[in-house]
Amino acid sequence: MKAKITRRDFVRTSAAVGAVAGLSTNLYGLPQSKGTRPLVVSSSNGLRTNEKAMQMIRAGADTMDAVIAGVNIVEDDPKDMSVGYGGLPNEEGDVELDASVMHGPSKRAGAVASLRHIKNPSKVAKLVLERTDHVLLVGEGALRFALAHGLKKEDLLTEEARVVWLRWKETRSDRDAWGPGLDAPPDSQTTGLILDSDMKREELLALADRIIASPPTGTINCLAINERGDISGTTTTSGLAFKIPGRVGDSPLIGCGLFVDNEIGAAGSTGRGEECIKINGAHTVVEMMRKGMSPAEACMEAVKRVAANYNNDKKKLQRVGINFYALNKQGEHGAATLWGPSIGEDGRRRRSQYAAHDGRENKRIEIPYLFESLNER
Ligand code: GLY
């Protein structure tokens, strides 16, 4: 069945994107950035990433080295619970990481999936690209490969991530053996969980409950183009929280969570990887740019394909969150997301953003969306 977007949705989308700060709009009502090189574009958690990558590109570094050094900051940061060290674990409490990298000038790619114990999977993806004739290594083999190249084996599960996971495990069902029994004292559900965290118990439990209500697929994607027009990108993640061990998302799959064509541009994705895989998201975006779409239009086309897979049924799509990001050879950038602003449990309005550094300014930009959120109506 052909996907149908109502006129009402289109008008809402156009009106919403018209308000995106700092960008003019094109004929389709989607935001149009001015072309600038060098340029670095990341998901919203990438401001520090952009800063580092831009600084390195300005100093003459290769764009691939720059994007990887940029995302390493987030991989190393235990506070980002969707990437690298401190990432939320799988259903058995093991942190499994996915990452990919593409180098436009040499047309090469590398990736790792379900990698345990190595906090910088993007570095391992780069080693796969540089030191093997393969593109993707997974699981135990990826770990042995990383260790062979001198990377350090570490415990990636922070106290905070462990408590969030344990609470998820204990609150899933009252018909299994996890968690205090039915006749336990009322506060025993929350006591005895925390051993060593700077966060207050109540804060951590509130965070855990938010995460459990909607297990995140947060990720970081970073794309960069230098003055000469050479492009690289990387995507790195701990994947869907509490996933089945061995689940692989879109991030390490070339053409899904990341795609680079040095003649056209680059694209990446964050959010529910399964939906991105089903439409080969990043490759779709780059192909749309090849046909003449702007980065924002191409990203919106990918979002529409995700929605079309559910016949635009907003009830079913409610559980899907997905963003696409892109830059083109001219140094224009854009992004698109499925849902517009929503009201969080704290009553605050949340809106998807991405981060772009155009050499002068490094800032977050609101992302054009396809559908207005159901809880905003
Ligand atoms: N987009 C990240 C994941 O689904 O694993």
Side-chain angles (χ1 to χ4, degrees), residues 40-46 217-223 234-235 250 256-259 265-271 276 281-286 289 294-296 298-300 302-303 321-328 332-337 352-356 365-368:
V40 185
V41 171
S42 291
S43 39
S44 66
N45 49 351
T217 48
T219 297
I220 183 160
N221 165 242
C222 180
L223 312 167
T234 185
T235 304
D250 58 328
C256 298
L258 176 71
F259 194 69
S269 179
T270 61
C276 179
H283 185 259
T284 294
V285 173
V286 172
M289 293 196 290
S294 71
C299 290
M300 188 56 84
V303 170
I322 192 154
N323 296 346
F324 293 97
Y325 318 91
L327 57 76
N328 65 15
E332 297 163 340
H333 57 89
T337 187
S352 299
Q353 297 180 316
Y354 71 110
I365 298 168
E366 292 184 348
I367 304 184

Side-chain angles (χ1 to χ4, degrees), residues 98 217-219 235 237-240 243 247-252 269-274 276:
D98 296 341
T217 48
T219 297
T235 304
T237 187
S238 51
L240 175 66
K243 60 195 171 187
R247 177 263 188 190
V248 172
D250 58 328
S251 306
S269 179
T270 61
R272 193 174 152 104
E274 282 73 7
C276 179

